Each structure stands twice: as C-alpha cells, then as structure tokens.
Amino acid sequence: MKRIVKVFRKILILLLLIITVLGIVTFFYMRREEFGALPEGKRLELIKASSHYKDGRFRNIVERPTLTKGYSMPGVLYETLFTKFPHRSPVDSLPSIKTNLKALNIHDNAYVWFGHSSFFLQLDGVKILVDPVFSGKASPIPGSVTAYKGSDIYTVADLPEIDYLLLSHDHYDHLDYETIKELQKKTKHVVCGLGNGAHFERWGYTPDQIIEKDWYESVNVKPGFTIFTESTHHDSGRGFRSGQALWLSFLIQTPSMQVYYSGDGGRDDRFKSIGSKYGKIDWAIMECGQYNKAWQSVHELPEEVALGTKELGAQNLLPVHNSKFTLANHPWKEPLEKITALSKNQSYRLATPMIGELVHLDKTDQKFNEWWKNVQ
C-alpha cells in the first residue's frame, strides 16, 4: 500500500511539474507581439463609456449562449478531435486570377476577393482594404490553420496605397499580425471597433492612423462618401480574455452606390434595421462559411445568409468567409454550393468570383462561373 502511495505521489508531482512548465511556456509565448494588446488608459476609459460595454467586456445587443441548446463544449471538442469529416479541405490547388490592383482605372468601382473575408474595394476613387490576411495562416499555433493551395497568391507588395483599412474584429482569421505590420507604411487610416486600436499601436501604427468607433457611428471620407459602423452578433479576443475590443459590420455609402459588409456574426434583427435605415443596398458582402449548428449563434448558416440578404434589400450578394481556411467541419465547398442553390429565383443576384477575379460593381450583367465545381 505504501508503495502504491509513493508511486501515486510521484505521478502527481510529475503532472504538477508538467502543468507548471506548460503554464510558464504559455505565459511567455502569449507575450509575443502577434497577440496584440489589451486597451488601457484613455482608450479603456472611452470603452467604459460605451453603452455596449458592461461588467468588464463588450456585449451583444441580445445576449445568448454561444453554443446552441443541446450541444456542450466537451461534446463539440470530442467531435472535432475524434470524428473524421470528409472533404474539409481541397486536394487540388484552387483556381485564381492575379489582377493588377495598382493598374486599376481610378474611375472604376471594383471589388477583388483574396479568399476568406479579405477583399479590396475601389469606390469613387477611394481604395479600401478589408480584413486582410496574407500570411498564409489564421492561427497563432504554427501549422494549425494554413491557407489552401492556390488561395494565397497576393502579398502586401501587390497592393496599392490604401486610403482606409477596415477591420471587422480581432480574431486571427481577420486580423493578421504579419500582414498588418507590413501594411503600416502604405495605409492612411484604419477604421476599427473600440479597443482594437491597442493592437495597431503595439504593431507600429500612429494614433493619427487609427479611427476607433462604436456601433452606429460614422467616418466622413469626403462629400457624399461615408463609412458607417454597424452592429453584428459575435465576439472578439486574441488571448484568454474575450470581448475586450468591439466587433463591427460596415455600410459604405458613396455618391453612386451603397456597399454592406456583414463581418462575422449570427442571425439577429440587424439586417432588417440596416435595410430600413439606409435604403437600397447595391452590394452585400456576407459571411458564408465556417459555420456549425453548434455555434450558429455567432456564425450564420447559408439559409440565414440568403434570408439576411433579402432583409437588407440588397441587389447583389458576394459570399465570403470561405475557400481559404478550414475552421469548421463542413466540406470546404459546401457554403458555395448551398448559397448557389438558395439564391436561385431570389430578389438578389448572386456573384461568385474566384480569388483575384475583378468584379465591376457598376455592371449588373457580369457573369461568374461556378469555379469550385471541378475542384477536388
């Protein structure tokens, strides 16, 4: 019996040592610059003044659990780790087009998608970059979430000077440390939610470059051109503390059109209210991918994307948040297959450009192929 007790004590001591070493390694690893920074000082005081900040973190308009009723975190983790899901990533290289962004006609209203939720807009001569991720990864853990073959053809060097960089939220698949560091010298302004400026300042951006906004505010670009910051139902965080920086969607209003970007977020009444508030929306760029019924609260299913697009009153739909990273268990091409089927005979037109393909936003007759069909 004494021998068993001694063995048990040794095992317990060894486990404690392992836990301690892992804790120390994690502590120092998470002090790396790529994890960003938490807001403090005047920035934190501004955050505390927001009506959307309560009990030490930002809150969604309607609070609800992240996990859908009937699901549990241990169950979801077990399923992810031990269940094999087919076709989560493509075997083939994705087809793409390398558009010369620096040679675009300044008078053209244009959109170019870089895969997932990264895209470039040129509207009324203003160059806008959204949620750029060009490092080939979407996780701080090396080798864990990497870009599909063929999806990562652009670099920061391929971009023109950027007037406004829009950030929807600070998760790694939207806020990429390496990309943001490289962009500092060619970006005039960053528009982001309250608290996110702490990341940018740590990474070398000046206070003059950073514009932090709450929901339902605006940035006046020039006469007739305004960027409005709207709500979404999501979360934020790059470490152990979540909800320290605000998540956004954007409505871009120009003299010739209105473009809406949903950011990430589960379904709520925002699409109806945004459609009513702004009137005709020419293009809706909507999150459509990396979903699961277990976390439907914070990522919409394709049928909810189709419904939200109709509620916005959008004329055209561009689905994003797919075709670059595997962050969910569904087949990689399922979001595009489902939204294509759901968009038939709808009030809006679906546009499905391949990565890098130039979309002429003033044209309503531009054709797009179902490029994913023959990709394995």
Side-chain angles (χ1 to χ4, degrees):
M1 185 66 181
K2 288 183 178 180
R3 186 177 179 182
I4 294 173
V5 172
K6 285 182 179 180
V7 171
F8 179 77
R9 284 178 178 173
K10 287 181 180 180
I11 293 173
L12 184 61
I13 290 170
L14 181 61
L15 286 173
L16 288 172
L17 282 172
I18 291 171
I19 291 170
T20 301
V21 170
L22 286 174
I24 292 170
V25 169
T26 301
F27 173 78
F28 283 103
Y29 185 76
M30 293 195 68
R31 293 175 68 85
R32 289 160 56 99
E33 198 174 70
E34 67 186 284
F35 287 95
L38 292 172
E40 56 186 23
K42 291 183 179 179
R43 177 172 283 113
L44 183 57
E45 291 306 310
L46 285 173
I47 287 171
K48 290 179 177 179
S50 170
S51 61
H52 307 114
Y53 187 86
K54 183 180 178 182
D55 297 330
R57 58 159 293 148
F58 282 105
R59 306 282 172 173
N60 285 302
I61 295 171
V62 177
E63 297 277 4
R64 59 179 187 255
T66 298
L67 286 184
T68 305
K69 187 176 180 180
Y71 291 89
S72 68
M73 187 57 70
V76 171
L77 288 173
Y78 181 87
E79 182 182 58
T80 300
L81 292 172
F82 299 108
T83 302
K84 187 175 181 179
F85 296 93
H87 313 303
R88 292 179 69 212
S89 301
V91 175
D92 299 338
S93 180
L94 300 190
S96 57
I97 297 173
K98 191 71 174 287
T99 296
N100 186 347
L101 301 174
K102 296 178 181 179
L104 292 179
N105 187 319
I106 195 65
H107 301 295
D108 287 347
N109 290 322
Y111 165 95
V112 174
W113 178 50
F114 305 121
H116 202 64
S117 291
S118 304
F119 58 90
F120 172 83
L121 285 168
Q122 182 175 275
L123 299 170
D124 197 39
V126 178
K127 293 175 171 58
I128 297 172
L129 183 64
V130 181
D131 288 356
V133 178
F134 298 138
S135 70
K137 59 185 177 67
S139 168
I141 303 172
S144 59
V145 183
T146 56
Y148 301 156
K149 289 182 292 184
S151 71
D152 209 32
I153 63 170
Y154 283 87
T155 68
V156 170
D158 296 317
L159 301 175
E161 296 293 311
I162 300 300
D163 296 305
Y164 288 87
L165 189 160
L166 307 187
L167 176 73
S168 64
H169 65 295
D170 69 0
H171 287 159
Y172 295 96
D173 56 322
H174 294 258
L175 178 61
D176 180 51
Y177 163 70
E178 293 175 24
T179 302
I180 296 300
K181 284 278 287 186
E182 285 189 66
L183 279 166
Q184 190 271 329
K185 291 183 179 179
K186 60 170 37 177
T187 301
K188 294 178 184 177
H189 304 286
V190 173
V191 182
C192 57
L194 292 173
N196 288 286
H199 301 312
F200 286 91
E201 280 200 14
R202 185 176 185 189
W203 299 340
Y205 285 66
T206 65
D208 289 343
Q209 286 179 284
I210 302 166
I211 303 170
E212 290 178 83
K213 291 292 183 179
D214 204 339
W215 291 336
Y216 318 128
E217 295 188 334
S218 62
V219 177
N220 294 318
V221 175
K222 60 183 182 179
F225 197 126
T226 305
I227 299 170
F228 295 94
T229 55
E230 288 290 331
S231 72
T232 182
H233 185 103
H234 202 54
D235 204 345
S236 65
R238 296 177 71 83
F240 293 121
R241 293 184 66 188
S242 63
Q244 302 306 301
L246 188 60
W247 43 98
L248 302 175
S249 65
F250 295 94
L251 189 288
I252 305 169
Q253 187 179 81
T254 82
S256 59
M257 68 175 60
Q258 295 196 117
V259 178
Y260 174 72
Y261 170 48
S262 69
D264 283 6
R267 177 163 176 76
D268 61 15
D269 291 334
R270 67 187 178 279
F271 300 122
K272 289 180 182 178
S273 62
I274 289 169
S276 175
K277 182 177 179 179
Y278 295 103
K280 178 187 173 185
I281 292 174
D282 298 276
W283 292 86
I285 304 168
M286 299 283 278
E287 174 204 19
C288 184
Q290 317 316 316
Y291 49 77
N292 189 311
K293 287 187 177 180
W295 60 78
Q296 187 176 352
S297 167
V298 290
H299 287 286
E300 289 195 309
L301 304 180
E303 49 266 37
E304 294 174 315
V305 176
L307 177 58
T309 303
K310 288 192 290 184
E311 289 175 339
L312 283 166
Q315 306 298 300
N316 302 277
L317 166 63
L318 287 158
V320 296
H321 211 250
N322 60 72
S323 304
K324 190 165 188 173
F325 301 114
T326 295
L327 297 168
N329 296 329
H330 59 69
W332 75 270
K333 64 172 72 173
E334 182 183 280
L336 292 171
E337 291 174 335
K338 285 195 169 183
I339 198 62
T340 298
L342 289 162
S343 297
K344 290 179 179 177
N345 302 314
Q346 294 289 1
S347 56
Y348 61 85
R349 179 181 72 115
L350 176 67
T352 54
M354 69 179 71
I355 290 171
E357 184 175 0
L358 181 62
V359 178
H360 300 279
L361 297 178
D362 291 321
K363 295 182 179 180
T364 58
D365 58 352
Q366 186 178 359
K367 304 296 183 183
F368 302 97
N369 297 321
E370 295 181 3
W371 57 264
W372 59 89
K373 271 193 166 182
N374 296 319
V375 181
Q376 299 301 311

